[in-house]
Structures are given as structure tokens and as C-alpha cells.
Amino acid sequence: LAGVLSLAGALPAGTPQLLDVGHTLPPGGDALSHGRGLDCWEVRKRNSSEWCHFIRSNPDCRLDGGFLNYLDGVFCVFPPRLLPLAVTLYALWLLYLFIILGVTAEKFFCPNLSAISTNLKLSHNVAVFSLTSPLHGVTFLAFGNGAPDVFSAVVAFSDPRTAGLAIGAIFGAGVFVTTVVAGGIALVKPFTAASRPFLRDVIFYMVAVFLTFVVLYLGRIRLGEALGYLGLYVFYVLTVVLCTWIHRRQRGDGLAPPGPWEPEMPTDEEEEEPSGTNSGDYGEEYRPLLPSQETSLRILTTALSPLDYRKWRRKPWYWRLFKAFKVPVELVLLLTVPVVDPDKDDLNWKRPLNCLHILTSPLLCVLTLKSGAYGLYQIQGIFPVWGLVTLVASALALIIFITTSNEEPPKYHCVSCSSPFQVFAFLGFLASAMWINAAATELVNILRTLGIIFQLSNTVLGLTLLAWGNSIGDTFSDLTMARQGYPRMAFSACFGGIIFNILVGVGLGCLLQMTGSQPLVKLEPDSPLVWVLAGALGLSLVFSFVTVPAQCFQLGRAYGVCLITYYLVFLCVALLTEFRVI
């Protein structure tokens, strides 16, 4: 959260920020290029011998934030004849950034969020993923899956030159999830949709899309409108909670009978199984017969191993290949992000590793905040901030190591203890958020670079690459739930997640760009593609709003085929509009 809030100071006070959510205009054609020199898109129109000088001398080609200068790399480091090689490497790095975002959100961000919600005494049905909860995915699952989308939108809105990425990604992901993912669920497992939750979610989402359409039409968003986005999401969550409470009161807190194609949902008591600290995934045969005390070194090496060799042997080759790509990311995350897991008997307390986290997590935060600008700052021109953080964190880590044991977690780690200060859960939440923010910054910068190379607008990159990449997690998790026999839950998660993305993404993204002197952000869609996006998303919602009740909420394969066909037609129209065929 600190990484996101720090973006608020990235823009100077003065005139309202003009966010170009369409094509970048030709030189001298708008207020954005005034004072910036030539537009960076002009580089490909020049001789290849002038590329490097143009990139380094033009202020519009500077990438704000991030650790790597992708434009300098592709136009200065690589010779022109090796441009295809540079693009290939950038494409592979782009895919790896999506892997980083997915792994961080799934294995580090969500467990710590679950631990925090448990500590804050939030209702289990409101805060976490529960099979018996009618909220299924509109709060915790939406927050977990939506973290990469929201961080990407906030980073994109922080620079007027990349705001089109945010609009394209939010609208593009909305069209993709409500058509391809929802249609895929109906194809995998025909089911009867829950009528009231479906109508509630679709109505709220249509209101959010209409609000965004109005904002784009007016060409600006004020402070009240940005707060209105966030307020509408709070009202949506409160509506879900109230509807759930009324529904449970009406049915006497019991489970409603399953509808057609819907399996019996087990209760929480039936779902609970004892989980061991090290062998919970492999059954009783791997549990030790007698308890044994492990040394700190062995605990550290075991905790830092991202591979389980028994599981590795049972998996197919493609799973092993994907796991091999994820191992470096998981190892770095294990070193820097503590995880408090309420589902484990020991709550994932690893004394030597957690003490190491006291040092590595604060260092990660100061070295990724503003791309390391704060961490490298010299106090009185003598001592760097990261050095001071290292000294203080090392002292705290030593104190914790001396005052704790390997067997029993301390009160500030134990979720079920009475202590309100869950240090490691909040530290892990902050560190994982900083990782997501850093990866999202690199993602936005590399997409802008690819847009300059291929002369593509930010909007089309947002609705394709960024939307597809950020929707991978939603697609796999929702289709997996449908195959396991919970299509209603997966269908609800489709709409709950994208409502979070559009309301929090646009609201928070624009709110952080407003200054005290000018609480206004201008949005000027200069490409018809933005209107194609908004119209396609609204039309898909109206289609579902009309056809689903007309089918008595029984969704089969015909409905899935129609949605997927609609998305393919939309994609063709969008690309033809981008290339000015239409």
C-alpha cells in the first residue's frame, strides 16, 4: 500500500493532468506534447542511425519509475538488425512478469490477507473464500485476483502517456471475463445461476461502466467522482453482506438445496481436515511417528526450498517445466516475504527464516519504493537510508531470534492469540504489495516500449496483452472451480472481481493523481477504439442481463458459445479500428 500511495507525489502541482486514453497525438497537436519535444512514437519514422540519439535526447521517451530502461535497451544497446531479437527477449520478459504477478498474489499476498482478516475478527464469509458463502469471491477472491489489475491501473494512471493502458486493460479485461471466462464456465459445466446475486452483480457492473462512459464523455474526473467510484464499491460490498444476511435469515441459516447440475456443497465442518506442518499434502504415511526437534539450519533450508520432490515425481512434464520457471521467483519471494498461513498447524512459523524476513522485508520496501530513490538517499549526504534500515532491522531480528523458539510461534505471529499486533502478517502483506507494485511498473513500461516499437496505441495494448495477462489467474481459477463442480461460485467470481477492478482501479488510480491545488484529472479519448471498448462491454452486459433470465437462469453450452463468439467479433472490430480499416 505504501508503494501505491507513494505514487501520489509523483506528479507536480499545477495544471490538471491530461491523460491520453487513445492514440498519442502527433507532435504539437495537444497539450501533452507541448514542452516535451517530439512525440516518442516518431522514433520509428527516422533513420535507424538516429534512434539512440532521439531516444536519449527526447523528454517524452523517458520511462517514469522502473529499474530497467527498455527504450534505451532496444534502440541503443541492440543494433537495428537485432531488433527482432530484442523484441523476442522483451516478450519473454513480459510473460515472466505475469508469472511474478500471479505467484506473488496467489502464494504470498492472499495468505497474508487471510491472516489479517482473521486477526481483525472479520466474518469468515466476508473476508475469505468459503464454499458455503454466497459472497464467493466478491471480496477476498476479488481482492486477491484483482491486486495485479489494480496495481497495473494505478501505475498506468500515474503517467499521462500510459493512461490508455489502464482504460484498455480495465475495459478489455471486463469484456474478456464476462464473455470468454463466463462462457467457458457454461461450456465446462452447465448450471443454474443464482438469480438474485447475478442480477445484483450485473446491475452494479452496468452502473460502473455507465459512470466510466460518462467520465470519458465529459473528458475529466473530479475529486467527488473519484471518491464516488470507491464509495460505489463500498456500497456494493455492503449490499452483498446485507443480501446474504437476509437470505440466511429467510432460510434459517441452513444450506439451500442445490439446483440442477449443482453438487451438494459441504459445510465448513465437513471441509475441515487436520493439516500437518510439513506433510499435510501427502497423507498420514509421511507423518513422523515420533516428534523430533529440528535444528535452525535444517528449518531454514527446508523453508527456503520451493520444490517438493515427492510432488515433483508425480507431476507431468509440462507442470515440471512451468514449475522450473517459477522456482527462481518463488525462492526470492520466500527470502523476502513472510507468510502467515492460518490453515497450517504451526501458522507457517519458521523461526530462522522469519528472523531473516525482519531484515529482508524492510530492505525490499525501501529499495523498491520509488524504484529505490528513497533507499539510496544519503542522510546528511553521508549515510544511506538502506544502511540505517539494515542496522535497525538486524538488531530487531537478533532480539526476536533470542527471545523465541523453533517450536512455538510468538504472540505477534500467532493469528489465534489475543495480541492485536500481527507483525509478520502485516509485514508480509506490505512486502508482497511492494513486489506486485514493482512488477506492475515494469509491466507498464515494457508495454509502452512495445507500443512504440510496433506503432500501437496504449489502448489496444491494454485490451489485449495487459488484459489477457492479468486475466490468466481469473480464467484458470474460475474454470478449475467449474470443473470441480462449483460453476455458480466461479460465475459469481467473474463479476465480483471485475467490479472491484473497474471501481477501485479507476477511482484509486485517478485519486492518486490529483493534487491539492487541482483536484481534477482530464481524460481525453482521442481514438474511436475507446468507445468501441465501452460499447462492447456495455452490450455484453445487456446481453447477459436479458438472455440469462429469459433462460430461467439455466446456462448451458449454447450460452457459452454465444459469449465466446461475441468476444471474437469484438476483438476483430477492435483491431480493425486500431489499424484504421474501420
Side-chain angles (χ1 to χ4, degrees), residues 486-559:
Y486 303 104
R488 297 174 73 178
M489 183 185 304
F491 195 69
S492 177
C494 287
F495 291 93
I498 55 180
I499 291 173
F500 175 85
N501 293 347
I502 189 171
L503 291 178
V504 179
V506 176
L508 186 62
C510 292
L511 184 65
L512 293 180
Q513 308 318 312
M514 297 179 183
T515 64
S517 59
Q518 281 291 346
L520 174 70
V521 173
K522 287 191 175 181
L523 302 171
E524 294 195 357
D526 293 299
S527 167
L529 185 58
V530 177
W531 306 116
V532 171
L533 267 173
L537 180 54
L539 188 59
S540 71
L541 293 175
V542 172
F543 173 78
S544 294
F545 186 72
V546 173
T547 57
V548 172
Q551 301 175 82
C552 299
F553 297 94
Q554 295 187 8
L555 306 182
R557 291 182 172 84
Y559 174 74

Side-chain angles (χ1 to χ4, degrees), residues 1-8 151 365 369-370 374 429-430 433-434 437 512:
L1 294 179
V4 178
L5 295 177
S6 69
L7 294 174
F151 275 79
C365 293
L369 193 62
K370 287 286 189 179
Y374 293 147
F429 176 81
L430 179 60
M434 296 300 295
N437 182 62
L512 293 180

Side-chain angles (χ1 to χ4, degrees), residues 147-229:
D149 307 77
V150 172
F151 275 79
S152 300
V154 170
V155 172
F157 273 122
S158 67
D159 189 343
R161 296 165 296 176
T162 57
L165 282 174
I167 297 296
I170 290 173
F171 278 172
V175 179
F176 181 83
V177 173
T178 56
T179 55
V180 176
V181 180
I185 293 170
L187 287 175
V188 169
K189 189 77 173 179
F191 66 101
T192 300
S195 57
R196 286 179 293 184
F198 169 76
L199 293 175
R200 176 199 64 214
D201 292 346
V202 171
I203 290 172
F204 267 97
Y205 196 37
M206 286 195 294
V207 171
V209 173
F210 178 74
L211 180 60
T212 307
F213 183 88
V214 171
V215 165
L216 290 174
Y217 178 78
L218 295 176
R220 52 103 182 112
I221 179 169
R222 299 184 183 275
L223 178 62
E225 293 160 344
L227 294 176
Y229 272 92

Side-chain angles (χ1 to χ4, degrees), residues 415-445:
V415 177
S416 58
C417 297
S418 58
S419 173
F421 303 105
Q422 308 302 329
V423 175
F424 289 97
F426 282 99
L427 186 61
F429 176 81
L430 179 60
S432 57
M434 296 300 295
W435 269 116
I436 294 175
N437 182 62
T441 302
E442 299 299 322
L443 191 68
V444 169
N445 285 342

Side-chain angles (χ1 to χ4, degrees), residues 322-366:
F322 186 60
K323 184 66 176 180
F325 282 108
K326 294 197 299 182
V327 162
V329 178
E330 293 177 350
L331 181 60
V332 174
L333 289 170
L334 286 171
L335 278 169
T336 55
V337 183
V339 177
V340 179
D341 193 347
D343 297 329
K344 291 187 177 181
D345 290 343
D346 63 350
L347 304 173
N348 206 39
W349 167 250
K350 312 295 180 186
R351 176 172 164 242
L353 181 59
N354 288 132
C355 292
L356 182 62
H357 287 149
I358 295 296
L359 172 62
T360 57
S361 294
L363 275 178
L364 166 73
C365 293
V366 298

Side-chain angles (χ1 to χ4, degrees), residues 471-487:
S471 300
I472 288 176
D474 300 321
T475 304
F476 282 108
S477 61
D478 294 340
L479 293 180
T480 300
M481 278 191 289
R483 282 195 298 266
Q484 291 175 350
Y486 303 104

Side-chain angles (χ1 to χ4, degrees), residues 68-206:
L68 299 176
N69 191 333
Y70 299 102
L71 285 172
D72 189 83
V74 73
F75 290 112
C76 296
V77 176
F78 285 89
R81 66 178 182 277
L82 293 182
L83 183 62
L85 175 61
V87 171
T88 303
L89 294 177
Y90 280 14
L92 294 175
W93 176 232
L94 180 68
L95 294 176
Y96 206 67
L97 286 172
F98 282 121
I99 293 177
I100 294 174
L101 286 172
V103 171
T104 307
E106 177 188 358
K107 295 190 175 182
F108 296 86
F109 187 80
C110 289
N112 284 309
L113 182 61
S114 176
I116 292 173
S117 65
T118 303
N119 177 54
L120 296 177
K121 309 297 188 223
L122 295 178
S123 167
H124 182 73
N125 292 327
V126 175
V128 300
F129 191 96
S130 171
L131 292 179
T132 61
S133 171
L135 300 179
H136 29 249
V138 299
T139 50
F140 173 72
L141 182 61
F143 195 15
N145 281 346
D149 307 77
V150 172
F151 275 79
S152 300
V154 170
V155 172
F157 273 122
S158 67
D159 189 343
R161 296 165 296 176
T162 57
L165 282 174
I167 297 296
I170 290 173
F171 278 172
V175 179
F176 181 83
V177 173
T178 56
T179 55
V180 176
V181 180
I185 293 170
L187 287 175
V188 169
K189 189 77 173 179
F191 66 101
T192 300
S195 57
R196 286 179 293 184
F198 169 76
L199 293 175
R200 176 199 64 214
D201 292 346
V202 171
I203 290 172
F204 267 97
Y205 196 37
M206 286 195 294

